[in-house]
Amino acid sequence: MINPVLRSSQIRPHGLGRRLLRSRLLGALTYPHGVDRYVELIHPLLLARDVRAEVTAVRHQTSRSVTLALRPNENWRGFRAGQFVGVSVKVDGVRLTRPYSPAGSEQAADGALELTVSTHPDGRVSRHLRDHARPGMVVDLTQAQGEFILPSPRPQRVLLISGGSGITPVMAMLRTLCQEGFAGEIGFLNYARSPTLALYDAELATLALRHEGLRVVRGFTRVRRSELAGRFDREHLAAVTSDHAAAATFVCGPPALIDSVRTVWAKDGLPEPAVETFTAPALRFDTDGAEGRVSFTASGRQAANSGLPLLEQAEDAGLAPEHGCRMGICNTCSTRKRTGTVRNVISGGLSSAGEEQIRICVSVPVGDVALDL
Amino acid sequence: MPSAPPVLSPEQLHALGEELDAIRARVVADLGERDVDYINRLIRVQRGLEVAGRGLLFAGFLPPAWIGGTAALSLSKILDNMEIGHNVMHGQYDWTGDERLNGKTFEWDTACPGEQWRHSHNYMHHTHTNIVGKDRDIGYGILRMSEDEPWRPYYLGNPLYAALLATFFQYGVAMHDVEAEQIAAGESALDDEKRDKLQAIWRKVRGQTLKDYVLFPLLSGPSLPFVLAGNATANLTRNLWAFTIIFCGHFPDGTEQFTEEETENETRGEWYYRQMLGSANLTGGKLFHILAGNLSYQIEHHLFPDLPAHRYGEISEEVREIRERYGIPYNTGPLHKQFGSVVRKIVKLALPPLPALPGLRGSEPGLNKPAAQARPPKRAATKAGSRTLPAPRTGARKLTAAKTGPRKRAAVA
């Protein structure tokens, strides 16, 4: 709901207005709901603390993606190239949060953000955004998160490898380096299934022409005649870098791509490259061998351990814990574990048996577990 | 006069539970944008009324502005507490994943801290509904609302205490979880947990008082006395309204109360059955239901406390049909009738029980029902003397007894 009279550029609270919004007096006058719960009714971006953004432009690079330009409100603290942000939208009344990496330069003018969202067949948020995002739409954001970032000072050589929708964080790194006038060598190995599904194709070609140190090579994994044949392979490295061992390497894409890069690096005795994947690994749960009971202490409910992640077990027990990504990224489902041991389904690691916060969407009980739910 | 409820066999109770579970499952599957739009629209109306009310009270020296401002602020507090706060804190909108509608963190514009309400109301009251000695909504620890509560001379003040509770209802609700009267009576100790609760209440009351009785009056300058009076009136109006609606939920004629023994090892069907017997509805228009927080559909609310309350009206016909099929009376009526019977009960229970007179029991219609024959002799003997109200609790309703005792099938279609 956008008030047509107020343009967001006019209502963003600056200086004095912002201090007033955050003042203790207004807090006391709006107790217990808080200032934001009143001023957001005047304009959805007018908030003392929460981060929200308005969609200012929408374009479709491919049939399976949507690229959004966003203008966040004053509470947005900016991001570093490679980080991700939790984006929340309402789909059929349910607020869903998914992590997306901004693809623009970290020094973009006016703090503008660019998100390229690739759709999954079952992706409720991605399909909703592709089909319904319009200029004027308002989304909730988290502050930027994640350790997948360009180091400062910048390294001499940078190697970027991306597959499919994983191009977004490395695109942010590339654009940031180009905007900074980075003088070193940048190699960019970019995989897509086919030219029609390739993102940022034209821009990559333009950047490669303009920046001497930049070499971009594209591979199409489902097209026979492309610059690179098939999936990532050690031979491909030579096309973009003179010495991959000396390059600060950033890989983002599906787990298979990350695994093959890691294998090459391990064989060469190199330290692990920085990696990021937003595709939940295909997880198998041992639902037959599950033992013990799960107690939800706050609600007094109990259930036999089904071997599934605790978030699903809680939902099966009729609870509705807060959650976001369901893949161990956003921390929305973080819950106090009172007792018991859990296994992290992504790392495979076991927790301690004591009291601690755990992400219940990726934690499977090992024996009896008590959760504060 | 309401008749005694039927005795249902374990199979019938099971079937009843399944029918009600099916209604619930159907509504849950249908939850969506409509429900979120509804509650968000209501929140906008409430915040709008609050801002308008407080704004008008700044001009409170003009009588129309004072009346309009006080009315708007009263409505705002009623909506905030009833249809928004009470219902959101039940977790009715948790499925939306919106932290602004999260039952675990929502706070409301009243003295009671949300955290304590969630325990005393959502857990204690809704789990142990109308179980004397467990459900503290029966009299809030200060009133005698059940003939099972032994009479003491203290209860002569029942009507007076009720009037005071209604007037200061928000503080009565705030002290609910601390069980202050038990501390005062020396029955429970003022331990660390209670101290923490008292501190939380103090913080909440301080915030509420600062806003309504210090900051807004001071900010209004010359309108100070008018703002003070307007805010106090709005709080009072909300208190009286909330008290009236809430006391109509479980105390009108025909609602049943239970003992702890009766409800041991309850099945889900038995729980549903108890919720139906212990709750009463109110009839009225759409606006009335909204202002009542849809607690005018108390029966539906107690069956499905975590379904969005604006759905209760939609399923009420179906619930009524199910009740009729099982022979369970559907207790409903207009506010004046239901509240009238609550007031009568408050006054009646102020007085000691009448001694058992020969012939009196026979005149109670409920006891002539065949259902009464299932009353275990022990109970009949101990309770006969103290029973002064019709529609007595009979052993036949004793849910556990229904499993083992003589079975009387209800007229089931």
Side-chain angles (χ1 to χ4, degrees):
Chain A
M1 179 204 59
I2 298 278
N3 186 333
V5 184
L6 291 168
R7 287 196 50 81
S8 58
S9 54
Q10 292 169 309
I11 55 81
R12 294 171 73 180
H14 287 280
L16 187 67
R18 208 154 112 99
R19 281 218 298 280
L20 181 71
L21 272 189
R22 290 186 177 181
S23 70
R24 289 181 64 180
L25 176 64
L26 267 187
L29 291 175
T30 53
Y31 182 82
H33 299 305
V35 183
D36 282 355
R37 300 290 86 85
Y38 292 83
V39 290
E40 70 183 350
L41 302 175
I42 304 170
H43 191 287
L45 293 194
L46 188 60
L47 295 167
R49 291 178 200 286
D50 294 351
V51 185
R52 272 190 202 154
E54 184 183 341
V55 174
T56 54
V58 179
R59 69 190 168 103
H60 294 270
Q61 298 190 51
T62 67
S63 60
R64 293 198 198 162
S65 72
V66 59
T67 299
L68 309 174
L70 294 172
R71 180 171 23 208
N73 66 5
E74 283 281 305
N75 303 322
W76 170 245
R77 292 199 291 262
F79 74 104
R80 295 183 63 186
Q83 285 191 305
F84 63 89
V85 53
V87 179
S88 302
V89 294
K90 243 187 241 164
V91 183
D92 295 333
V94 179
R95 191 170 180 271
L96 300 172
T97 307
R98 297 289 183 272
Y100 293 113
S101 306
S105 161
E106 60 182 43
Q107 282 117 1
D110 202 18
L113 282 181
E114 179 179 307
L115 298 180
T116 290
V117 175
S118 295
T119 54
H120 296 262
D122 308 321
R124 295 177 70 192
V125 172
S126 56
R127 285 186 308 155
H128 178 84
L129 285 172
R130 183 194 58 187
D131 298 340
H132 300 289
R134 301 276 179 278
M137 178 185 189
V138 172
V139 297
D140 286 281
L141 299 181
T142 64
Q143 297 290 357
Q145 305 164 52
E147 300 301 315
F148 185 72
I149 47 174
L150 278 177
S152 294
R154 306 303 188 204
Q156 285 296 305
R157 270 201 190 89
V158 176
L159 174 57
L160 309 172
I161 305 175
S162 76
S165 60
I167 190 173
T168 50
V170 291
M171 193 67 199
M173 292 177 175
L174 177 63
R175 283 165 155 178
T176 302
L177 290 172
C178 288
Q179 195 177 358
E180 287 173 358
F182 179 69
E185 177 197 298
I186 311 174
F188 192 174
L189 266 181
N190 172 225
Y191 295 89
R193 286 185 180 176
S194 69
T196 49
L197 295 179
L199 296 164
Y200 296 107
D201 217 23
E203 184 175 345
L204 285 175
T206 316
L207 284 176
L209 285 178
R210 261 193 231 152
H211 295 270
E212 218 171 290
L214 171 62
R215 265 189 284 172
V216 180
V217 176
R218 279 151 300 177
F220 300 115
T221 52
R222 298 204 180 164
V223 176
R224 238 181 277 159
R225 238 179 289 154
S226 62
E227 288 173 81
L228 299 174
R231 293 167 182 274
F232 171 81
D233 183 277
R234 173 191 291 277
E235 310 305 317
H236 294 182
L237 290 169
V240 292
T241 181
S242 50
D243 183 5
H244 70 272
T249 305
F250 301 87
V251 193
C252 184
L257 171 67
I258 287 174
D259 284 347
S260 24
V261 176
R262 271 184 174 154
T263 312
V264 170
W265 258 245
K267 268 191 191 152
D268 294 355
L270 299 172
E272 282 246 319
V275 299
E276 177 127 288
T277 181
F278 284 128
T279 319
L283 298 170
R284 287 236 196 97
F285 302 112
D286 181 13
T287 49
D288 295 326
E291 288 174 355
R293 293 189 71 74
V294 182
S295 349
F296 303 100
T297 54
S299 58
R301 296 189 200 195
Q302 274 214 0
N305 173 20
S306 68
L308 294 172
L310 280 162
L311 174 59
E312 283 174 52
Q313 297 206 36
E315 287 172 340
D316 290 342
L319 302 172
E322 266 193 271
H323 63 270
C325 65
R326 305 187 78 108
M327 50 197 275
I329 288 169
C330 69
N331 207 36
T332 311
C333 69
S334 173
T335 302
R336 197 101 197 130
K337 169 171 70 70
R338 294 288 175 209
T339 56
T341 304
V342 295
R343 186 168 52 82
N344 184 308
V345 296
I346 291 174
S347 69
L350 291 178
S351 75
S352 70
E355 200 169 311
E356 62 185 338
Q357 291 291 125
I358 56 167
R359 294 175 190 188
I360 55 175
C361 65
V362 290
S363 297
V364 170
V366 180
D368 290 346
V369 164
L371 271 190
D372 190 12
L373 267 180
Chain B
M1 201 58 70
S3 56
V7 184
L8 302 184
S9 69
E11 295 77 28
Q12 285 177 310
L13 286 165
H14 182 74
L16 174 73
E18 293 205 322
E19 285 198 59
L20 292 168
D21 280 343
I23 295 182
R24 185 195 150 76
R26 210 187 55 227
V27 175
V28 167
D30 185 51
L31 292 177
E33 207 146 0
R34 176 162 74 99
D35 305 273
V36 185
D37 288 349
Y38 170 81
I39 195 69
N40 281 332
R41 195 164 64 234
L42 217 78
I43 289 174
R44 274 202 296 279
V45 169
Q46 180 266 315
R47 304 283 144 92
L49 281 168
E50 182 177 356
V51 171
R54 295 198 188 276
L56 276 172
L57 281 175
F58 273 53
F61 47 85
L62 303 168
W66 190 86
I67 292 170
T70 305
L73 191 57
S74 305
L75 280 175
S76 153
K77 283 178 183 275
I78 285 171
L79 288 178
D80 179 283
N81 290 183
M82 309 288 283
E83 182 70 342
I84 302 168
H86 167 267
N87 291 335
V88 168
M89 290 199 301
H90 260 294
Q92 294 181 359
Y93 296 92
D94 281 6
W95 55 271
T96 63
D98 188 338
E99 83 249 26
R100 290 171 283 262
L101 297 175
N102 185 325
K104 276 189 291 186
T105 52
F106 194 88
E107 259 303 341
W108 52 353
D109 182 11
T110 184
C112 178
E115 195 55 48
Q116 293 180 31
W117 171 261
R118 283 182 271 273
H119 176 255
S120 68
H121 179 80
N122 292 2
Y123 173 57
M124 294 301 282
H125 169 59
H126 272 272
T127 314
H128 307 303
T129 313
N130 280 27
I131 300 177
V132 179
K134 270 193 154 179
D135 178 3
R136 292 176 38 78
D137 275 32
I138 305 178
Y140 283 67
I142 50 174
L143 301 181
R144 181 167 181 248
M145 292 306 295
S146 164
E147 62 269 29
D148 285 350
E149 183 74 42
W151 184 85
R152 286 183 280 134
Y154 160 86
Y155 288 123
L156 284 170
N158 225 27
L160 174 69
Y161 312 144
L164 286 171
L165 179 61
T167 306
F168 300 102
F169 195 52
Q170 65 164 329
Y171 303 107
V173 171
M175 297 303 284
H176 208 35
D177 206 32
V178 184
E179 302 172 345
E181 83 290 344
Q182 292 184 13
I183 299 171
E187 287 166 17
S188 73
L190 184 60
D191 52 18
D192 284 350
E193 190 194 331
K194 298 243 156 108
R195 242 183 268 275
D196 286 348
K197 283 184 177 174
L198 279 171
Q199 254 164 23
I201 295 170
W202 164 239
R203 279 193 299 273
K204 187 78 199 292
V205 170
R206 190 180 54 193
Q208 291 290 109
T209 308
L210 189 68
K211 167 181 71 170
D212 279 342
Y213 299 121
V214 181
L215 293 178
F216 274 109
L218 282 178
L219 278 176
S220 69
S223 287
L224 185 143
F226 301 100
V227 172
L228 211 52
N231 291 354
T233 308
N235 278 322
L236 175 67
T237 310
R238 183 271 324 275
N239 287 350
L240 296 176
W241 177 255
F243 173 89
T244 306
I245 296 296
I246 288 165
F247 269 63
C248 281
H250 301 290
F251 306 123
D253 277 349
T255 51
E256 308 283 335
Q257 289 167 342
F258 309 88
T259 63
E260 293 186 37
E261 311 90 71
E262 276 178 334
T263 53
E264 264 171 36
N265 305 319
E266 242 178 2
T267 64
R268 184 155 177 84
E270 287 167 343
W271 181 84
Y272 271 136
Y273 185 48
R274 171 160 59 86
Q275 298 299 334
M276 285 191 171
L277 297 182
S279 309
N281 281 5
L282 294 165
T283 52
K286 194 174 174 206
L287 183 64
F288 171 76
H289 289 304
I290 292 175
L291 291 178
N294 278 298
L295 292 181
S296 40
Y297 291 109
Q298 189 79 231
I299 297 167
E300 288 76 12
H301 174 55
H302 266 267
L303 294 174
F304 312 114
D306 60 349
L307 291 185
H310 75 112
R311 298 272 192 157
Y312 296 152
E314 297 170 16
I315 58 172
S316 62
E317 274 308 308
E318 226 174 317
V319 170
R320 186 182 193 130
E321 187 273 325
I322 290 174
R323 291 182 70 130
E324 278 169 4
R325 204 145 31 80
Y326 285 85
I328 310 166
Y330 193 80
N331 191 338
T332 187
L335 183 63
H336 64 85
K337 176 181 153 262
Q338 298 289 70
F339 193 62
S341 78
V342 172
V343 172
R344 274 197 302 281
K345 184 180 259 183
I346 291 172
V347 173
K348 210 164 185 172
L349 290 175
L351 302 170
L354 294 173
L357 296 174
L360 176 69
R361 286 187 56 215
S363 71
E364 292 175 6
L367 285 176
N368 287 335
K369 301 271 172 192
Q373 290 160 7
R375 173 204 290 261
K378 183 187 98 209
R379 238 191 117 67
T382 52
K383 287 289 168 184
S386 65
R387 196 161 292 282
T388 56
L389 285 179
R393 170 164 350 99
T394 64
R397 276 189 294 105
K398 182 164 170 177
L399 302 176
T400 44
K403 276 191 263 183
T404 50
R407 272 179 207 165
K408 174 82 189 86
R409 291 234 166 222
V412 176

